[in-house]
Amino acid sequence: MGTMDVEWLLDFLKGMIKPLAATAVVLLAVLLSFLQKLGIEGEMIYSIVRAFLQLSVIGFVLQFIFSQDNRGWIILAYLFMVTVAGYTAGQRAKHVPRGKYVAGASILAGTAVTMLMLVVLNVFPFTPRYIIPVAGMMVGNAMTVTGVTMKRLRDDIKIQLNLVETALALGATPRQATKQQVKRSLVIALSPVLDNAKTVGLISLPGAMTGMIMGGASPLEAIQLQIVVMNMLIGASTVSSIMSTYLCWPAFFTKAYQLESKVFRID
């Protein structure tokens, strides 16, 4: 190991002193959980240890990717994030057949379209330092919205099964028969994203903006970046959630435009 490598490792270890010190607040939470007999002390410790290890590993991975002049690493990292997000969103909508694939395809479509537009419009250059953090924010947001949309749509159709079946019997297409359920699921899933955009800067400073300010950037520059972030989150989330409703229909309806009853019998 060369001198430069040793110095870099020592700097990294010194930098980890503050994150380790910050675990004191987690220990306080664990103590309060124990005193209140909540029984989640083990989960708290497991969560923070896992987060610590995951972030440390991803830090080394990003350090490696940023040092490479290869756009293939950007695509690989992006597809990895989409895969994990699709699996997680599919777990939320576990009663939707092939839910993980539906979620993954929806998240891929929404974030890819949004990211392509940002690159074409020259908002961000296609480099790892910009695209990977941007993609991470979009994929994470789209994951949450897509999971909620799929779960809510399936649950709403199940609750109003007779209404949907009546509409189908009268000649409605699956889209027409589930119009209200689709609308309701999309509105519920997208409302937190829109509420966040309405209150950004008034209640709390978002992560991207806070990071830039703490890194020494001008607050005006941080605001400009945050506006871009909010725009891309709304765009990616909307495309992903709408796409998921279209991809859910083959699982909800037969080719004869009848409800797949087995999908809605599961609780």
Side-chain angles (χ1 to χ4, degrees):
M1 185 180 290
T3 304
M4 292 295 292
D5 293 332
V6 173
E7 291 179 355
W8 179 83
L9 182 59
L10 288 175
D11 288 340
F12 171 77
L13 293 176
K14 288 179 182 178
M16 294 303 290
I17 293 175
K18 290 182 179 179
L20 286 173
T23 57
V25 295
V26 178
L27 296 177
L28 174 62
V30 170
L31 177 61
L32 291 173
S33 174
F34 175 76
L35 294 175
Q36 294 295 317
K37 296 180 172 60
L38 299 181
I40 57 174
E41 301 85 10
E43 186 175 354
M44 284 183 175
I45 295 173
Y46 168 75
S47 298
I48 196 64
V49 170
R50 177 172 171 172
F52 186 89
L53 292 175
Q54 286 178 179
L55 289 173
S56 297
V57 171
I58 199 64
F60 284 107
V61 171
L62 291 177
Q63 180 75 18
F64 169 76
I65 294 175
F66 289 175
S67 65
Q68 305 299 307
D69 186 20
N70 189 339
R71 294 183 175 183
W73 286 109
I74 301 177
I75 305 300
L76 189 63
Y78 169 63
L79 292 177
F80 175 78
M81 289 187 286
V82 170
T83 301
V84 175
Y87 177 84
T88 306
Q91 286 288 93
R92 176 185 288 272
K94 58 184 177 181
H95 295 315
V96 176
R98 300 180 298 279
K100 297 179 180 65
Y101 299 102
V102 170
S106 302
I107 294 168
L108 178 64
T111 55
V113 168
T114 305
M115 192 156 50
L116 178 62
M117 291 181 65
L118 292 175
V119 173
V120 170
L121 294 172
N122 202 29
V123 177
F124 291 118
F126 194 75
T127 60
R129 189 169 295 275
Y130 284 92
I131 296 301
I132 291 179
V134 166
M137 286 186 281
M138 286 194 294
V139 169
N141 222 62
M143 173 190 72
T144 303
V145 171
T146 300
V148 172
T149 300
M150 293 167 59
K151 183 179 185 302
R152 185 70 192 195
L153 179 58
R154 184 261 179 190
D155 291 348
D156 275 9
I157 293 176
K158 180 181 178 181
I159 293 171
Q160 299 180 318
L161 211 60
N162 292 334
L163 184 63
V164 175
E165 287 179 330
T166 300
L168 291 171
L170 293 174
T173 64
R175 185 72 180 180
Q176 293 169 335
T178 57
K179 182 177 180 181
Q180 291 303 316
Q181 290 80 10
V182 169
K183 180 180 178 181
R184 189 180 299 111
S185 64
L186 289 172
V187 169
I188 290 174
L190 290 170
S191 289
V193 181
L194 300 177
D195 290 342
N196 190 36
K198 293 174 187 175
T199 59
V200 64
L202 299 177
I203 298 176
S204 62
L205 297 180
M209 183 175 174
T210 302
M212 286 193 66
I213 293 175
M214 293 179 68
S218 162
L220 296 179
E221 292 177 339
I223 288 171
Q224 293 168 0
L225 175 64
Q226 190 58 50
I227 291 173
V228 173
V229 170
M230 294 307 306
N231 289 341
M232 73 185 190
L233 293 183
I234 292 175
S237 298
T238 302
V239 175
S240 295
S241 57
I242 292 175
M243 179 65 70
S244 70
T245 64
Y246 280 95
L247 295 180
C248 278
W249 281 328
F252 291 164
F253 298 92
T254 67
K255 294 181 180 179
Y257 285 1
Q258 295 177 329
L259 281 169
E260 285 280 11
S261 56
K262 62 182 180 180
V263 175
F264 302 100
R265 281 201 300 263
I266 306 172
D267 291 324

